[in-house]
Amino acid sequence: MIRRLLIANRGEIAVRIARAAREAGIVPLGVYSDADAHAYHLGFMDDAARLGPAPARESYLDVERVLRAARELRADAVHPGYGFLSERAHFARAVTDAGLIFVGPTADAIEAMGDKTEAKRRAREHGVPVVPGYDGDDQSAERLEREAAGIGRPVLIKASAGGGGRGMRIVAGDTDFGEALAAAKREALAAFGDERVLLEKYLTRPRHIEFQIIADAQGNTVHLGERECSIQRRHQKVIEEAPSSALTPELRARMGEAAVRAARSVGYVNAGTVEFLLSEDGSFYFLEMNARLQVEHPVTELVHGVDLVRLQLDVANGLPLPFSGDDVATRGWAFEARINAEDPANDFLPAIGTISRWEPPGEPGLRLDAGVGAGSEVTIYYDSMLAKLIAYAPDRAAAIERLRAGLDAFRIDGVRTNLPLLRRIVRDDAFRSGDTTTAFLGERAAFLASPAGGEPGGAALLAIVAALADPRAWRIGRVGIPVVLDGVERTLRAVGSRTNGENAWHLEGDVAGDFVVETAGDRVTVRDERGERTGGRARVDAGGVEVLFDGATYRFDFAPPPSLETAGVERGPKGDGTVTAPMPGKIVSVAVKTGDTVAERDLLIVLEAMKMEHRIEAARGGTVKNVAVAAGALVAGGATLLDIE
Ligand code: ADP
């Protein structure tokens, strides 16, 4: 029986596993890289060992170092969590070879299912429908290009070893297939150490539906219903729910049966997930099987009343499942929102910083699985997910209201997050009516960028006066202080001067008039000339102002970092063609050299940050000068890369 469990992971999932272990009477043991020496997850461990330097390849992805930590901490079992080594068959094998219990499927099952190509072949052999495409062994560029032509546009290039939406490229319209293939292979190699790819027909407007599998060593394989994970950005899930509003009991039974068949085809043991795409005409296709615990497992836990990590530990201990497929029933509805350190307004670029304020909501029916707290550092080295807010209620509509209330009440300062986007999604009519497909974020961009009614005037007024009342504004000068705030709906420009005494302001611009302002903490009350009152809460942080007004939270940002497409070039005054790094990262390749002539939108540099490749394109045409970086260089955010004159 497991007594001491090494949790070979970090962040929220390390915390989640530690909690389940402790409840089961098992000692949770942690690991950390140098960047994580003071990380949040370590507070949940009884003991912890250093793995190595910050880069994952030298710490969380280093099998030898993880095994050494297990020995050092006298662990008798290892839980890999998700990501990192969770789907590396050689790791599972090394753990069992070292005489330890691996909390997960067998190495053979991971080998068969952890790889998209292999998994698709197996599923097809067992009569499970798969997305049409090419999953052959011939990986030559010529062959892939030919197969892609046969599939037709749009075609999807996927890393065989991929996960988390990385190493995936849609090739549509007249995009160059060769360039997309090279980029996908590079990303796959960097992220997974394996550059094999497969090709698939790219389905438009499918739903992502996945089934939770749990199987014991006695041969019982049960599915715990579905999760719908259609709300995605960059093929990465943002909001998930269970059950799905798209399934009839009949379709659920058919898909569930196919999922169980796929799992049985590899003699699957422990927790796993079979993913499908459900097309608009009701046909479904196997996508892949994730041979591990999923990020979104909590929604299943809430509607089934189970603890999946505890079940994983019990199964790893050789215990039979305490239920059979016939006992499984769902109750109520659950949603999960992933809170990421990123900037939705800027192509979801990951954000870094120190979390100066972390105040999660405490409403009933909410669960928070967090990997950070106040004071936590968010670095460039790992995934940008900070926490998951999970809401549970008797029905779908009530669960959405709980999630909305919780998202509105959440306060995070010090790092930019996707909270503003999440708050708008839960107000979106299509989302609320269950009209959810993987194209949702793209199709609803207009609404999401400009919620019905926009930001009310009251919120704008509070944001402006809060920015002016902030002591930092006074460093600029005492009269005519300009404030520029970017809301979702519009950019607010105003100039404020003090009139009579401390609290009286004269404003000109988008917000104009004479106002008397009172503040107490973050409560702000404003009265205009006629004595008309506007009250709410507003907090100024390094990035902007967050306003709570009339039942909703609004975010206004100070001048944002440049967008990817126009990186750097538009930053300086007109005529300044300096291109700077939009964020810290590593230069993957430099597509130009001094003296080259470029046109608008030409590729200049590929920057890798937080395991994603970002294209830096020319915002305007000109001649390239002063190339300051080469492939392999590490650059700071804002570093000068080159000039265009
Ligand atoms: P990963 O393992 O990186 O998460 P998946 O194969 O699970 O990759 O796919 C992730 C998401 O990408 C899916 O949920 C879906 O939105 C999109 N996707 C994958 N394959 C296709 C496809 N053939 N057509 C349309 N969308 C797809």
Side-chain angles (χ1 to χ4, degrees):
M1 291 300 233
I2 301 171
R3 277 276 305 130
R4 296 170 66 82
L5 178 69
L6 185 87
I7 301 166
N9 217 300
R10 65 182 303 284
E12 69 87 19
I13 197 60
V15 176
R16 167 73 188 90
I17 295 164
R19 285 184 164 135
R22 196 174 296 288
E23 195 181 300
I26 295 170
V27 179
L29 304 165
V31 290
Y32 59 91
S33 70
D34 289 342
D36 274 345
H38 303 285
Y40 183 78
H41 72 274
L42 298 176
F44 295 77
M45 310 295 166
D46 281 19
D47 199 355
R50 173 183 180 269
L51 290 176
R57 233 179 293 187
E58 295 166 62
S59 50
Y60 298 103
L61 282 172
D62 186 322
V63 173
E64 276 317 308
R65 292 182 197 228
V66 172
L67 288 178
R68 198 168 60 205
R71 274 195 302 275
E72 195 182 332
L73 297 169
R74 290 179 295 111
D76 47 26
V78 176
H79 194 310
Y82 53 68
F84 294 131
L85 294 170
S86 62
E87 288 183 280
R88 305 285 172 95
H90 68 278
F91 177 62
R93 205 164 276 133
V95 168
T96 44
D97 285 353
L100 308 174
I101 295 173
F102 182 75
V103 183
T106 61
D108 289 345
I110 296 177
E111 212 140 64
M113 282 305 191
D115 182 83
K116 289 188 206 289
T117 300
E118 185 66 21
K120 265 186 93 167
R121 291 179 190 169
R122 285 210 188 229
R124 196 167 41 223
E125 273 164 30
H126 286 80
V128 179
V130 300
V131 188
Y134 172 75
D135 50 31
D137 288 327
D138 185 351
Q139 292 284 307
S140 65
E142 302 73 45
R143 177 66 185 271
L144 289 168
E145 182 133 24
R146 208 166 52 243
E147 293 288 346
I151 295 165
R153 301 273 165 118
V155 61
L156 187 64
I157 309 173
K158 267 188 196 179
S160 189
R166 280 178 278 135
M168 211 185 293
R169 282 281 189 293
I170 304 169
V171 188
D174 55 3
T175 315
D176 184 60
F177 181 82
E179 195 197 302
L181 179 65
K185 288 199 161 200
R186 258 200 321 266
E187 206 166 289
L189 193 63
F192 315 107
D194 179 346
E195 64 168 12
R196 285 171 310 125
V197 298
L198 63 156
L199 304 177
E200 278 181 5
K201 169 134 210 69
Y202 186 71
L203 306 176
T204 50
R205 306 196 88 237
R207 290 182 189 246
H208 176 114
I209 308 278
E210 59 184 34
F211 277 75
Q212 176 67 53
I213 298 289
I214 181 87
D216 62 25
Q218 287 74 17
N220 306 304
T221 307
V222 174
H223 79 76
L224 287 174
E226 81 282 6
R227 294 182 283 261
E228 176 164 351
C229 318
S230 298
I231 310 296
Q232 305 180 348
R233 59 106 174 83
R234 286 185 160 171
H235 310 300
Q236 243 177 316
K237 299 155 187 166
V238 179
I239 293 186
E240 303 97 342
E241 63 182 294
S244 163
S245 56
L247 300 200
T248 59
E250 183 270 330
L251 183 54
R252 176 172 298 118
R254 271 199 297 135
M255 292 179 78
E257 193 265 329
V260 167
R261 201 159 1 115
R264 285 215 173 108
S265 76
V266 290
Y268 201 87
V269 174
N270 216 292
T273 295
V274 179
E275 298 190 330
F276 297 99
L277 289 182
L278 177 64
S279 72
E280 284 182 291
D281 66 8
S283 38
F284 61 89
Y285 304 97
F286 172 89
L287 255 191
E288 63 163 346
M289 178 161 188
N290 287 319
R292 55 168 164 85
L293 190 67
Q294 300 270 94
V295 175
E296 59 274 19
H297 73 276
V299 292
T300 298
E301 295 187 322
L302 292 179
V303 297
H304 284 282
V306 297
D307 176 339
L308 282 167
V309 180
R310 177 60 182 265
L311 286 173
Q312 285 194 294
L313 293 167
D314 288 349
V315 165
N317 267 325
L319 299 175
L321 290 178
F323 48 75
S324 76
D326 301 332
D327 306 330
V328 171
T330 66
R331 201 176 156 154
W333 217 282
F335 281 90
E336 174 183 280
R338 300 189 187 193
I339 298 168
N340 300 328
E342 67 186 13
D343 185 1
N346 196 12
D347 206 17
F348 301 105
L349 274 186
I352 57 174
T354 302
I355 296 176
S356 52
R357 185 194 203 198
W358 180 262
E359 290 171 19
E363 277 75 2
L366 291 179
R367 161 175 162 184
L368 182 77
D369 282 18
V372 296
S376 289
E377 285 274 344
V378 182
T379 68
I380 63 162
Y381 295 106
Y382 315 111
D383 193 84
S384 60
M385 194 177 80
L386 303 178
K388 309 178 309 203
L389 183 64
I390 305 129
Y392 175 69
D395 58 56
R396 189 172 188 274
I400 292 177
E401 297 313 323
R402 285 218 156 122
L403 184 62
R404 178 186 55 72
L407 291 168
D408 267 346
F410 214 132
R411 300 274 165 269
I412 303 170
D413 284 354
V415 63
R416 222 175 254 261
T417 71
N418 62 342
L419 270 174
L421 175 71
L422 296 171
R423 289 173 183 143
R424 293 196 296 280
I425 293 173
V426 295
R427 289 178 162 82
D428 181 280
D429 287 339
F431 174 77
R432 295 169 80 94
S433 66
D435 180 12
T436 42
T437 73
T438 60
F440 175 86
L441 280 187
E443 289 176 359
R444 302 296 291 168
F447 171 84
L448 295 170
S450 168
E455 285 121 1
L461 174 61
L462 293 175
I464 294 282
V465 299
L468 286 170
D470 188 73
R472 278 169 286 195
W474 280 98
R475 292 192 208 120
I476 304 165
R478 287 190 70 87
V479 282
I481 304 170
V483 179
V484 181
L485 290 174
D486 267 348
V488 179
E489 167 77 343
R490 54 195 164 138
T491 297
L492 296 171
R493 288 193 176 74
V495 177
S497 15
R498 284 200 170 162
T499 50
N500 266 318
E502 273 298 282
N503 303 322
W505 286 92
H506 174 73
L507 293 182
E508 279 172 26
D510 295 331
V511 178
D514 284 286
F515 303 93
V516 175
V517 181
E518 276 169 51
T519 57
D522 65 0
R523 268 187 300 112
V524 183
T525 313
V526 183
R527 276 173 224 281
D528 66 14
E529 299 100 292
R530 297 189 306 279
E532 201 78 36
R533 179 181 188 281
T534 305
R537 294 169 58 185
R539 248 188 81 96
V540 181
D541 56 56
V545 189
E546 193 161 275
V547 179
L548 190 64
F549 173 72
D550 207 18
T553 301
Y554 303 90
R555 172 92 202 164
F556 295 88
D557 289 326
F558 297 134
S563 82
L564 245 198
E565 304 227 296
T566 57
V569 177
E570 285 193 346
R571 217 182 190 180
K574 237 184 160 46
D576 172 4
T578 299
V579 178
T580 57
M583 60 184 310
K586 188 171 139 196
I587 304 290
V588 176
S589 61
V590 181
V592 293
K593 56 185 187 316
T594 298
D596 282 359
T597 308
V598 291
E600 188 181 329
R601 296 223 55 173
D602 275 359
L603 177 65
L604 301 174
I605 280 171
V606 178
L607 177 77
E608 185 195 298
M610 286 184 156
K611 305 225 188 86
M612 307 249 343
E613 285 195 357
H614 307 282
R615 290 168 59 89
I616 299 179
E617 297 174 354
R620 60 147 208 237
T623 307
V624 175
K625 295 264 161 72
N626 310 323
V627 178
V629 291
L634 290 172
V635 295
T640 298
L641 304 177
L642 51 82
D643 292 325
I644 295 176
E645 286 176 17

